[in-house]
Structure formats: C-alpha cells, structure tokens
Amino acid sequence: MSNVNPIEIISPDQFRKIPWKNGKGETLELAVSEGGDVNGFEWRLSIASVTEDGEFSDFSGYWRNLVLIEGQGIDLTHDLEYTDNLREILEFTTFDGGSKTCGQLVDGPIKDFNIMTKQGAYIPQVSTFHQLDSLLLDESVLNFIYALDNGELALHLGDFQQDVPVGHLVQINPYEEGDEELGIAVAGKNLIVISFYPPQD
Amino acid sequence: MSNVNPIEIISPDQFRKIPWKNGKGETLELAVSEGGDVNGFEWRLSIASVTEDGEFSDFSGYWRNLVLIEGQGIDLTHDLEYTDNLREILEFTTFDGGSKTCGQLVDGPIKDFNIMTKQGAYIPQVSTFHQLDSLLLDESVLNFIYALDNGELALHLGDFQQDVPVGHLVQINPYEEGDEELGIAVAGKNLIVISFYPPQD
C-alpha cells in the first residue's frame, strides 16, 4: 500500500489567491503539482475572473484548457490568427500558452476554470458533463473532478457513496504498484472531469 | 470474428414514425431491439415532441430515461407523488414506465430523447456531455451515441477519425467472443451517450 490517499477532497479554504503574472488580476489556485509556483509547475488548476478585455499572460511551454463557468461568454484570439468563441457554460477550448492570446468579453465579466499542463509532461483530457449517471475513472492516471455552483457530485465505490459539496475539488491520485484499483465512479450534474495522461512516445 | 459490424451509423431516413399508444402524438423511433414493436421490446430509443400537457402512455415493466433536447422545459409528475423539473437542454430523469406520469410544459413545446429498457433485461447508463475530448467506450456492452443539432460527434480508433453527421445515431455493438476490442473513443459537443449493462445478480 502506498501512503498517498487515493481520494483527496480539497475544500475552498485550501485554495490560494495568487496575482496574475501580468499584474492585472488574481487567480484562485485550486491545486498545483508538488513544488509548483507561478514560475513553474507540471500542472495547475485555477479559476479566474475576467472583468475587462485584454491580453492573457504568457505561459510559453504550457498547454492551456479554458472552460467557461460563469457569464455570457468570451472570444479568445490567438496570435491574431484564429478566434475561439466561448458562449455556453461548460464550453472549453485548448490552446498553446505561448501564443499571444487576447480576450474580448461578450457581455460583462466571466469566470473561467483553467487547466495548465507543462508541454511534454502531461496530456490533459477534459470532459464537461451536463448530467452523468456513472463514469468509471481510469485510476492509472491523475484525475480531478469539479462541480459548478449549480451542480451535484457524488463518488461511488461499490455500494458506498460519498457526496461532495459543490465548489470542492476532488483529486483522485493514480494507483501505485501494489495498490488495488478501487472502481471509483463519478455521478452528478454540471461537472468538469480532467484526466492527466502521460505523454505518448 | 462475428458477423455483426461493431459500428453502425443509423441515418435519419432509417428512423421510423410510430403513433403513441395513447393516440395523442407520434414518436420517431431511432432504434429498437430486434423484433421489437410498440407492444414489446428489450430496449428502444426514440424522440418525441410534447406539444400539450397530458398523461404519458403506460409502459409498465420498463424503465424510462427522458432527456430534454429542445424547448423551455417540462415538469413530470409521477403517481401524483413527486415531480421532476427538466429545464436545461441535456438534463434528464429516470422513472418507472408503469407510474402514472403527467407532463406539464413550462413555456411551449419541447422535444425529448427517450431511452426505454425492459426491467430485468438491461440497466441503462446515460451521460450527457457539453463537450468531450475523449471518452473510451466499454465495448463489452451495447452503446449508443447521439449528437444534438447544435452538437458535434467524432469517433476515434487509434489514429483513425470518423466524423458523424449530427442527427445520426451511432450504435456500437458489444464485442463477441473472439473479437478484439477496438479502442473506440468518442469526442464532440452536446452529446448523449447510453450504455446498456446486463442486470446484476
């Protein structure tokens, strides 16, 4: 048995406020890889408010996934070349953190949920659910689950059910050699599920 | 190798219009178990419009899953006891087809996607996605995937990608003894994914 708890529930009072690299705002950091800070990490999950149009911070060397979780929408233009139009809650886009990205609000402030991964370290897979009877997680990799404020989240292990309050982040650590797979299934509404896969050869 | 094609894409011109058992409307039947008709089937997938308030047909002996796919919403009251309020597109509810269910429209007609399964024959698992990078299907069971009109759907098998037009139904047949698992993954937007599991002892 490893010493790592397979299921960690991170409550909002454990989240950390950190200033943006461009100084124009604040990010709520939900979780970050061990030893990570704003200057370097393997992965980071955070929530930010965008209250005005402007350029995003440079995160060269990282992939970014940005999920709209509140507000009317935002247009993201990357290197003046192409634009992502996020309009619906739980819609997301993937882009290179090294591109020059400008955000233009559609109608008022928005909140976004950010998944950043160091390029070459992880391949993130993101799913956003309206509603979910049961999703069996791949426990060989690192998984995170987050329910929006109007969502619901429960973890099932066989007959055991654990309800998770909205606004909390669930971290499912990959099993290590000698661990048994638990058969963790996720159920709920308005969920973001993230799995970090190792890079493929 | 079995003779069953593992992936079937069912186009809208293969769907069948059939009258409701209560005579008050029509259902578009997308797929039904072999030999099934309105009087009996193992499973059935269909789309119906509800244009006025009223009682649902009796489907004693079946489980029903009803997904809101168009319109402002509907309230379903079962046996005068409890009410499901479906308001958001891709929200769904599960109920016993034998209960006396009354539907009350919130604001104008709606369309719903129906999953019916004979009790004791299958346990349906339903997921509705806003957006999906990749979901690996459990190929040991019968799976269906359907993208809403404003959705997107692609199937991935290794490096191979097959785009599926919206409005088509994808049926993934369970592998049989001697078959190899294909590693079919689903990606897209505004999707309904259904898996029919065998009953548990």
Side-chain angles (χ1 to χ4, degrees):
Chain A
M1 289 288 288
S2 81
N3 293 317
V4 178
N5 194 338
I7 302 178
E8 292 181 53
I9 296 181
I10 305 166
S11 70
D13 58 19
Q14 295 172 275
F15 299 164
R16 294 191 318 146
K17 278 187 186 167
I18 49 171
W20 289 358
K21 289 207 292 187
N22 67 12
K24 292 187 183 168
E26 257 183 358
T27 283
L28 190 65
E29 184 183 271
L30 281 63
V32 66
S33 55
E34 210 179 323
D37 62 26
V38 72
N39 296 311
F41 47 79
E42 300 269 293
W43 53 263
R44 193 179 85 174
L45 303 185
S46 60
I47 290 175
S49 298
V50 181
T51 57
E52 55 181 52
D53 297 349
E55 197 175 323
F56 278 40
S57 297
D58 177 25
F59 277 98
S60 293
Y62 294 87
W63 288 115
R64 299 191 60 168
N65 277 274
L66 193 146
V67 187
L68 182 67
I69 63 170
E70 221 179 278
Q72 298 302 313
I74 189 168
D75 295 334
L76 299 178
T77 304
H78 309 287
D79 290 333
L80 304 174
E81 275 175 16
Y82 68 100
T83 302
D84 289 317
N85 309 107
L86 297 178
R87 292 288 179 280
E88 287 177 47
I89 299 299
L90 288 176
E91 200 175 353
F92 63 88
T93 183
T94 306
F95 57 99
D96 188 333
S99 63
K100 182 174 169 170
T101 295
C102 292
Q104 190 168 13
L105 295 164
V106 174
D107 182 15
I110 61 122
K111 272 192 186 173
D112 54 56
F113 186 102
N114 281 277
I115 302 119
M116 292 200 203
T117 47
K118 197 172 177 176
Q119 288 169 5
Y122 288 102
I123 298 167
Q125 280 194 353
V126 181
S127 309
T128 58
F129 291 88
H130 243 297
Q131 196 169 336
L132 178 61
D133 273 350
S134 178
L135 174 77
L136 205 60
L137 294 175
D138 179 351
E139 293 174 36
S140 70
V141 300
L142 178 63
N143 293 283
F144 291 94
I145 310 125
Y146 183 81
L148 302 196
D149 287 346
N150 63 349
E152 289 172 24
L153 173 54
L155 302 175
H156 295 266
L157 290 87
D159 291 333
F160 174 76
Q161 174 174 336
Q162 176 163 14
D163 292 315
V164 178
V166 294
H168 289 54
L169 179 72
V170 177
Q171 176 171 344
I172 312 283
N173 293 304
Y175 59 73
E176 295 179 15
E177 217 178 302
D179 286 357
E180 266 183 67
E181 227 172 320
L182 296 172
I184 302 168
V186 179
K189 288 186 177 188
N190 293 326
L191 300 174
I192 302 172
V193 177
I194 303 136
S195 305
F196 287 142
Y197 283 86
Q200 287 163 326
D201 295 324
Chain B
M1 291 286 290
S2 80
N3 293 318
V4 178
N5 194 339
I7 302 178
E8 293 179 51
I9 296 180
I10 305 165
S11 69
D13 58 19
Q14 295 171 276
F15 300 164
R16 294 192 316 146
K17 279 188 184 167
I18 49 172
W20 290 358
K21 289 207 293 189
N22 67 11
K24 291 188 183 167
E26 257 183 358
T27 282
L28 190 64
E29 183 183 272
L30 281 64
V32 65
S33 54
E34 209 178 323
D37 62 26
V38 71
N39 296 311
F41 48 79
E42 299 270 294
W43 53 263
R44 193 180 84 174
L45 303 185
S46 60
I47 290 176
S49 297
V50 181
T51 57
E52 56 181 52
D53 296 350
E55 197 174 324
F56 278 40
S57 297
D58 178 24
F59 277 97
S60 293
Y62 292 87
W63 287 115
R64 299 191 62 168
N65 276 275
L66 192 145
V67 187
L68 182 67
I69 61 170
E70 221 179 278
Q72 298 303 312
I74 188 167
D75 295 334
L76 300 177
T77 304
H78 310 287
D79 290 334
L80 303 174
E81 273 174 18
Y82 68 100
T83 301
D84 289 316
N85 309 108
L86 297 179
R87 292 286 180 279
E88 287 177 47
I89 299 301
L90 288 175
E91 201 175 352
F92 62 89
T93 183
T94 306
F95 57 98
D96 188 334
S99 63
K100 184 176 167 167
T101 294
C102 291
Q104 190 167 12
L105 295 165
V106 173
D107 182 15
I110 62 122
K111 272 191 186 175
D112 54 55
F113 186 103
N114 281 277
I115 302 119
M116 292 199 201
T117 46
K118 197 171 179 177
Q119 288 170 7
Y122 287 102
I123 298 168
Q125 279 194 353
V126 181
S127 309
T128 59
F129 291 86
H130 239 298
Q131 197 169 337
L132 177 60
D133 273 349
S134 179
L135 175 76
L136 205 60
L137 294 176
D138 180 351
E139 293 173 36
S140 69
V141 300
L142 178 63
N143 293 283
F144 290 94
I145 311 126
Y146 183 80
L148 302 195
D149 286 345
N150 63 349
E152 288 171 25
L153 173 53
L155 302 175
H156 295 266
L157 289 88
D159 292 333
F160 174 76
Q161 174 174 335
Q162 176 163 15
D163 292 317
V164 178
V166 295
H168 289 54
L169 180 72
V170 177
Q171 176 171 344
I172 312 281
N173 293 304
Y175 59 72
E176 296 179 15
E177 221 178 299
D179 286 358
E180 266 183 65
E181 226 171 320
L182 297 173
I184 302 168
V186 179
K189 288 187 175 186
N190 293 327
L191 300 173
I192 303 172
V193 178
I194 304 136
S195 305
F196 287 141
Y197 283 85
Q200 286 162 326
D201 294 325

